[in-house]
Amino acid sequence: EDQVTQSPEALRLQEGESSSLNCSYTVSGLRGLFWYRQDPGKGPEFLFTLYSAGEEKEKERLKATLTKKESFLHITAPKPEDSATYLCAAGSARQLTFGSGTQLTVLP
Amino acid sequence: GAGVSQSPSNKVTEKGKDVELRCDPISGHTALYWYRQSLGQGLEFLIYFQGNSAPDKSGLPSDRFSAERTGGSVSTLTIQRTQQEDSAVYLCASSSDFGSPLHFGNGTRLTVT
């Protein structure tokens, strides 16, 4: 059975305090590792797709990396507007399995 | 164009009633997904449509749940004889093909009283 586990469940940072979110996955035949951002009352918004170990993607203050067992979402010098729930999902040949998310709060 | 559109945005229904939730995917997207998100939980896969292939219904939690996709576009998720445990946000997503990023609507928040 495909499994995706995210940690921590919640993270509070001061503005400018860099950190990383973790996503561990076990899927049969990984076809893609996806990161999404979800704001309250909204659907998840696509951020990145990673396909192979060693791959990295960047967007503004966010950088996603991938190994054979986990992915990290690094947040550099976060701002309050980065506050959201960050979801990762691993796609196999059958479906996309989501983690429970990390709720990030960035305090001014 | 427009993103994925879902209606209604909120639905309150009495236990035992049937409900229909609608999803308009992004034009040209062949893949369509339904997920359910309960408070504090991750997204739970329900059903997946890809083109004209038979849908993957493996995530539907009971036979009270069904979905159809007409003309390869609009999809309707139907829940019969609703129960309180059906209360959740139902999210629809579409993608250009399997393996491509999913684009989500803002969901329908279903409350069963």
Side-chain angles (χ1 to χ4, degrees), chain A residues 31-32 34 36 38 41-46 49 51 87 91-101, chain B residues 33 35 37 40-45 48 56 58-59 91 98-107 109:
Chain A
R31 294 183 61 171
F34 301 84
Y36 288 85
Q38 187 173 25
K42 302 287 188 180
E45 175 189 350
F46 170 71
T49 308
Y51 291 106
L87 300 169
S92 70
R94 290 191 64 244
Q95 59 183 253
L96 199 57
T97 302
F98 281 82
S100 298
Chain B
Y33 304 75
Y35 283 83
Q37 188 173 34
Q41 303 294 314
L43 275 69
E44 175 190 4
F45 168 76
Y48 160 63
D56 178 352
S58 60
L91 291 162
F98 184 80
S100 297
L102 273 60
H103 298 270
F104 285 86
N106 286 328
R109 180 175 298 277

Side-chain angles (χ1 to χ4, degrees), chain A residues 21-38:
Chain A
L21 313 182
N22 177 265
C23 171
S24 300
Y25 63 91
T26 304
V27 301
S28 51
L30 181 72
R31 294 183 61 171
L33 190 292
F34 301 84
W35 282 98
Y36 288 85
R37 168 189 171 129
Q38 187 173 25

